[in-house]
Amino acid sequence: MRVKAVQLASLFLLSLAVNTGAQAEQRSHFLVGAEAGVEARHTHYNFDYVLTSNAVAGTAGNLQRNQTRVVDTGSFLGLLTGWQIQCGRTLLGVEGSVDFHSFEETKQTLFADNVAVNAALTTPYLATAKYERGAAYQLSGRAGWWLTPFFMPYVRLGLQYSRDQITFTAPVRQIVSAANPGNPSFSQKTDVWSGVGGIGVEIPAFGPTSVRVEFDYIYSPSNSWSDTVGLMQGTHRVDHPKSYVGKASWVWNFA
């Protein structure tokens, strides 16, 4: 009896070990998907133009920073692909995506170049500024935990590349002078690498597909440019653009 009991217990433990090993077996696969969402971006654009030293007799340029707050909100569409591995309930993956959007709006702002002509300061006037972000390419890692077979929260951490552009235009200044300083107008693109962090949830859909809902925070470095227009020297700076992104994705998992 004791031998039979030991044999039954051994068979039970072996069966349990096999089932546990099967449940913890690593599985990996590729995935592709499409995503859509809403993004709100916030930044401050600083700019100024002054006359260069001794450019015109009887004039003096005094540097003073002009600033306008740029807030853009709009929608976007994107594509994603990646590879992920699952061991038990734990999921780890690497993903790449590209998002396309063009919702930036031109902002109006008061502009004063603070050029003193014959001891009289010029009057501020209306100018326009626009900060555009091109297609955004992301490479990120994702880690999740299946709380149930139908619900997985996850976190995301990665980098984003985009080619951003600042465009500034002001009307021609009217200065009673032998030399007109020129028309302030500036447009420049630059490569921008941003940090990405996010949280989301994933649930299985029909067949090998799944649906995700995700919130991301994107933090970009500041960028500065300089230019010369006529007799004026200009400086431009965009301070740490920040984006808040909400999106939903439909993903096809290739087992």
PDB file of all heavy atoms in Angstrom, residues 22-34:
ATOM      1  N   ALA A  22       4.854  23.504 -18.693  1.00  0.00           N
ATOM      2  CA  ALA A  22       4.159  23.869 -19.928  1.00  0.00           C
ATOM      3  C   ALA A  22       3.597  25.273 -19.834  1.00  0.00           C
ATOM      4  O   ALA A  22       3.637  26.050 -20.782  1.00  0.00           O
ATOM      5  CB  ALA A  22       3.050  22.856 -20.214  1.00  0.00           C
ATOM      6  N   GLN A  23       3.035  25.606 -18.640  1.00  0.00           N
ATOM      7  CA  GLN A  23       2.481  26.940 -18.456  1.00  0.00           C
ATOM      8  C   GLN A  23       3.572  27.999 -18.498  1.00  0.00           C
ATOM      9  O   GLN A  23       3.358  29.119 -18.943  1.00  0.00           O
ATOM     10  CB  GLN A  23       1.726  27.009 -17.128  1.00  0.00           C
ATOM     11  CG  GLN A  23       0.452  26.183 -17.106  1.00  0.00           C
ATOM     12  CD  GLN A  23      -0.233  26.243 -15.759  1.00  0.00           C
ATOM     13  OE1 GLN A  23       0.271  26.851 -14.819  1.00  0.00           O
ATOM     14  NE2 GLN A  23      -1.370  25.585 -15.649  1.00  0.00           N
ATOM     15  N   ALA A  24       4.780  27.664 -17.999  1.00  0.00           N
ATOM     16  CA  ALA A  24       5.873  28.629 -17.963  1.00  0.00           C
ATOM     17  C   ALA A  24       6.724  28.586 -19.219  1.00  0.00           C
ATOM     18  O   ALA A  24       7.743  29.249 -19.294  1.00  0.00           O
ATOM     19  CB  ALA A  24       6.746  28.365 -16.726  1.00  0.00           C
ATOM     20  N   GLU A  25       6.345  27.791 -20.217  1.00  0.00           N
ATOM     21  CA  GLU A  25       7.110  27.675 -21.449  1.00  0.00           C
ATOM     22  C   GLU A  25       7.177  29.015 -22.164  1.00  0.00           C
ATOM     23  O   GLU A  25       6.193  29.737 -22.261  1.00  0.00           O
ATOM     24  CB  GLU A  25       6.458  26.640 -22.358  1.00  0.00           C
ATOM     25  CG  GLU A  25       7.210  26.430 -23.663  1.00  0.00           C
ATOM     26  CD  GLU A  25       6.492  25.467 -24.583  1.00  0.00           C
ATOM     27  OE1 GLU A  25       5.442  24.947 -24.159  1.00  0.00           O
ATOM     28  OE2 GLU A  25       6.966  25.251 -25.702  1.00  0.00           O
ATOM     29  N   GLN A  26       8.338  29.337 -22.681  1.00  0.00           N
ATOM     30  CA  GLN A  26       8.513  30.599 -23.381  1.00  0.00           C
ATOM     31  C   GLN A  26       7.900  30.517 -24.769  1.00  0.00           C
ATOM     32  O   GLN A  26       8.078  29.534 -25.483  1.00  0.00           O
ATOM     33  CB  GLN A  26       9.999  30.940 -23.476  1.00  0.00           C
ATOM     34  CG  GLN A  26      10.650  31.261 -22.144  1.00  0.00           C
ATOM     35  CD  GLN A  26      12.095  31.703 -22.298  1.00  0.00           C
ATOM     36  OE1 GLN A  26      12.631  31.711 -23.399  1.00  0.00           O
ATOM     37  NE2 GLN A  26      12.727  32.058 -21.198  1.00  0.00           N
ATOM     38  N   ARG A  27       7.196  31.577 -25.125  1.00  0.00           N
ATOM     39  CA  ARG A  27       6.613  31.682 -26.460  1.00  0.00           C
ATOM     40  C   ARG A  27       6.953  33.056 -26.995  1.00  0.00           C
ATOM     41  O   ARG A  27       6.850  34.065 -26.280  1.00  0.00           O
ATOM     42  CB  ARG A  27       5.089  31.492 -26.403  1.00  0.00           C
ATOM     43  CG  ARG A  27       4.644  30.159 -25.833  1.00  0.00           C
ATOM     44  CD  ARG A  27       3.141  29.968 -25.964  1.00  0.00           C
ATOM     45  NE  ARG A  27       2.397  31.040 -25.302  1.00  0.00           N
ATOM     46  CZ  ARG A  27       2.080  31.015 -24.005  1.00  0.00           C
ATOM     47  NH1 ARG A  27       2.464  29.991 -23.242  1.00  0.00           N
ATOM     48  NH2 ARG A  27       1.393  31.997 -23.466  1.00  0.00           N
ATOM     49  N   SER A  28       7.352  33.124 -28.244  1.00  0.00           N
ATOM     50  CA  SER A  28       7.689  34.411 -28.857  1.00  0.00           C
ATOM     51  C   SER A  28       7.015  34.515 -30.215  1.00  0.00           C
ATOM     52  O   SER A  28       6.748  33.506 -30.870  1.00  0.00           O
ATOM     53  CB  SER A  28       9.208  34.562 -29.006  1.00  0.00           C
ATOM     54  OG  SER A  28       9.730  33.565 -29.853  1.00  0.00           O
ATOM     55  N   HIS A  29       6.766  35.739 -30.642  1.00  0.00           N
ATOM     56  CA  HIS A  29       6.137  35.944 -31.939  1.00  0.00           C
ATOM     57  C   HIS A  29       6.302  37.391 -32.385  1.00  0.00           C
ATOM     58  O   HIS A  29       6.600  38.288 -31.582  1.00  0.00           O
ATOM     59  CB  HIS A  29       4.645  35.581 -31.896  1.00  0.00           C
ATOM     60  CG  HIS A  29       3.851  36.435 -30.949  1.00  0.00           C
ATOM     61  ND1 HIS A  29       3.638  36.075 -29.645  1.00  0.00           N
ATOM     62  CD2 HIS A  29       3.228  37.625 -31.123  1.00  0.00           C
ATOM     63  CE1 HIS A  29       2.907  37.010 -29.050  1.00  0.00           C
ATOM     64  NE2 HIS A  29       2.648  37.957 -29.929  1.00  0.00           N
ATOM     65  N   PHE A  30       6.087  37.618 -33.679  1.00  0.00           N
ATOM     66  CA  PHE A  30       6.092  38.953 -34.258  1.00  0.00           C
ATOM     67  C   PHE A  30       4.667  39.515 -34.243  1.00  0.00           C
ATOM     68  O   PHE A  30       3.690  38.776 -34.123  1.00  0.00           O
ATOM     69  CB  PHE A  30       6.624  38.926 -35.685  1.00  0.00           C
ATOM     70  CG  PHE A  30       8.093  38.622 -35.770  1.00  0.00           C
ATOM     71  CD1 PHE A  30       8.520  37.318 -35.969  1.00  0.00           C
ATOM     72  CD2 PHE A  30       9.031  39.632 -35.641  1.00  0.00           C
ATOM     73  CE1 PHE A  30       9.873  37.026 -36.045  1.00  0.00           C
ATOM     74  CE2 PHE A  30      10.381  39.350 -35.707  1.00  0.00           C
ATOM     75  CZ  PHE A  30      10.809  38.037 -35.913  1.00  0.00           C
ATOM     76  N   LEU A  31       4.582  40.836 -34.408  1.00  0.00           N
ATOM     77  CA  LEU A  31       3.269  41.484 -34.438  1.00  0.00           C
ATOM     78  C   LEU A  31       3.312  42.698 -35.344  1.00  0.00           C
ATOM     79  O   LEU A  31       4.364  43.312 -35.545  1.00  0.00           O
ATOM     80  CB  LEU A  31       2.826  41.885 -33.027  1.00  0.00           C
ATOM     81  CG  LEU A  31       3.731  42.853 -32.250  1.00  0.00           C
ATOM     82  CD1 LEU A  31       3.337  44.315 -32.488  1.00  0.00           C
ATOM     83  CD2 LEU A  31       3.688  42.549 -30.765  1.00  0.00           C
ATOM     84  N   VAL A  32       2.180  43.044 -35.898  1.00  0.00           N
ATOM     85  CA  VAL A  32       1.986  44.279 -36.654  1.00  0.00           C
ATOM     86  C   VAL A  32       0.660  44.872 -36.223  1.00  0.00           C
ATOM     87  O   VAL A  32      -0.227  44.157 -35.724  1.00  0.00           O
ATOM     88  CB  VAL A  32       2.010  44.059 -38.187  1.00  0.00           C
ATOM     89  CG1 VAL A  32       3.366  43.558 -38.647  1.00  0.00           C
ATOM     90  CG2 VAL A  32       0.909  43.092 -38.599  1.00  0.00           C
ATOM     91  N   GLY A  33       0.509  46.178 -36.407  1.00  0.00           N
ATOM     92  CA  GLY A  33      -0.741  46.785 -36.000  1.00  0.00           C
ATOM     93  C   GLY A  33      -0.898  48.195 -36.523  1.00  0.00           C
ATOM     94  O   GLY A  33      -0.013  48.744 -37.185  1.00  0.00           O
ATOM     95  N   ALA A  34      -2.032  48.763 -36.215  1.00  0.00           N
ATOM     96  CA  ALA A  34      -2.346  50.142 -36.571  1.00  0.00           C
ATOM     97  C   ALA A  34      -2.819  50.860 -35.314  1.00  0.00           C
ATOM     98  O   ALA A  34      -3.410  50.237 -34.417  1.00  0.00           O
ATOM     99  CB  ALA A  34      -3.425  50.198 -37.655  1.00  0.00           C
TER     100      ALA A  34
END
